[in-house]
Amino acid sequence: MRISARELAEGTPASRDRYVDLLRVVSLGVVVLGHWLMAAVTQDGVGNLLAVVPELQAATWALQVMPVFFFVGGFAHALAYRSRPRYADFLRARLRRLLRPTMVFVAVWGAAALVLQVAGADGGLTGVALRLVTQPLWFIGIYLAMVAFTPPLLRAHERYGWGAFAGLAAAAVLVDAARFAAGVPYVEFLNFAFVWLAVHQLGFLRADGMIRRPALLAAAGLAGAGLLVAFGPYPLSMVGMPGEKVSNMAPPTLALLCHGLWLIGAVELLRGPGARFAARARVWRAVVAANGIAMTAFLWHLTAMLGVYGGMLALGVRLPAPATAAWWAQLPLRLLAAAALTALLVAVFRRFEAPAPVPRTGGSGPLAALGIALALLGVLGLSMTGFGGLLEGHTATLVAVRVTAPAAVAMALVGWLLVDRPGRSRS
């Protein structure tokens, strides 16, 4: 029996940190809105508004909030692992709700891609959609890695505190030095781990009340990012830009880590008023409801956006050139349409995000670890390949390895089955 958001909200214990839940919802919401805003779609294809108007790249210093989401993830994972310290149980409890909606998304889009390709209708905006809709899956892959590394990194935190974070940050510095000063090939990809796990480690510190000077953290991060961008090889934008030689996001750089520090310091400075806001009954009900569908909305929001543009083109609506007066005037209507279509897709697929009423326990730790590794590689691979050219085995490079879309789908599916395999029921 499904429990309503109102019932969950009313049953929330007073000890729960509601501000963290608010941050989770707001950060994902800002990411979704940012993707919708950056899309510069015309009859000729899909571009990036930040490339059309480079001055807007400075806005990414406020709108690139994925570090906040990973910081919140670290906080939640610390509490979850301490309440369920058996590795296999922890993995399955954290990942079932994440992987189920993801695999449904993969199955639906995979089937649609095959039908479109067989029918010869995979060109134009449809072909672009087949490549673009999987890009947000990189976030799922990184999050899977964070869950997998939580037990050892939490032990390191409990032993060394800020020293564990400093170790990861120092590793990120060394990687960038090897990349930019020594030109070591492929070394930059290590920062997918070091940068994001350092941000995640800050969540552990938050869970134990060890971030006591958020103003200092914010100031140091902002100053560090500013100096690195001003005097280093780092671009202004904190999101990836088409055709750029160096990206702060893919792979992450030391500049992005500093950006994460300033954002986390900023949200910690707002903790008092944010907690009071989240404690309001209506606000908390909205936060609970949004958290119950957040992953589904995130997975399908690009589908909705591209569906809006595809519908406009099918109706013969002329899409204005990006950043023109007509484009800005049309923007609110496009955003409302994308939000409405996302809501419709959420209504269809939200059931797959619902947690199981009785958690499973038991099972093999090594099998669970293998499952998460395969799921991680499959999801990251699919984020690179997209769904275009499934029948031809379209390939893309994941770090230094060529991967095909069918192989990525197979790895993700096998990984999910291993993570989701039955254990002993809780008695």
Side-chain angles (χ1 to χ4, degrees), residues 66-267:
M66 197 57 83
V68 175
F69 188 88
F70 289 148
F71 165 68
V72 168
F75 175 90
H77 295 155
L79 299 185
Y81 184 69
R82 285 167 175 169
S83 68
R84 191 190 294 260
R86 192 174 186 278
Y87 188 57
D89 293 349
F90 168 74
L91 286 185
R92 292 192 172 101
R94 300 305 294 174
L95 296 183
R96 291 186 70 231
R97 188 173 175 182
L98 181 68
L99 285 177
R100 287 179 67 210
T102 301
M103 294 312 302
V104 169
F105 172 84
V106 169
V108 171
W109 261 109
L114 289 174
V115 171
L116 289 168
Q117 188 171 2
V118 170
D122 56 344
L125 185 60
T126 300
V128 172
L130 292 174
R131 294 193 303 273
L132 288 183
V133 293
T134 63
Q135 287 188 359
L137 293 179
W138 75 266
F139 151 80
I140 306 291
I142 297 298
Y143 203 77
L144 289 172
M146 289 177 173
V147 174
F149 283 105
T150 287
L153 289 180
L154 185 57
R155 286 193 291 271
H157 156 75
E158 290 168 346
R159 182 171 182 179
Y160 300 109
W162 277 95
F165 164 79
L168 290 167
V173 172
L174 291 175
V175 166
D176 270 16
R179 174 187 182 183
F180 294 116
V184 179
Y186 301 116
V187 70
E188 63 268 26
F189 293 103
L190 291 174
N191 267 350
F192 274 114
F194 293 135
V195 168
W196 288 128
L197 288 176
V199 171
H200 187 251
Q201 202 79 8
L202 289 169
F204 298 164
L205 293 163
R206 194 339 181 125
D208 288 341
M210 297 176 68
I211 302 180
R212 300 187 181 96
R213 296 183 179 180
L216 179 61
L217 188 67
L222 190 58
L227 290 172
L228 288 169
V229 169
F231 300 106
Y234 304 96
L236 173 65
S237 175
M238 290 298 163
V239 300
M241 297 296 299
E244 66 184 354
K245 190 173 182 180
V246 175
S247 167
N248 281 322
M249 268 291 292
T253 64
L254 181 60
L256 185 65
L257 177 56
C258 289
H259 170 71
L261 292 180
W262 107 255
L263 278 182
I264 291 164
V267 299

Side-chain angles (χ1 to χ4, degrees), residues 264-279:
I264 291 164
V267 299
E268 282 296 282
L269 283 171
L270 296 172
R271 182 173 178 176
R276 289 190 293 272
F277 179 70

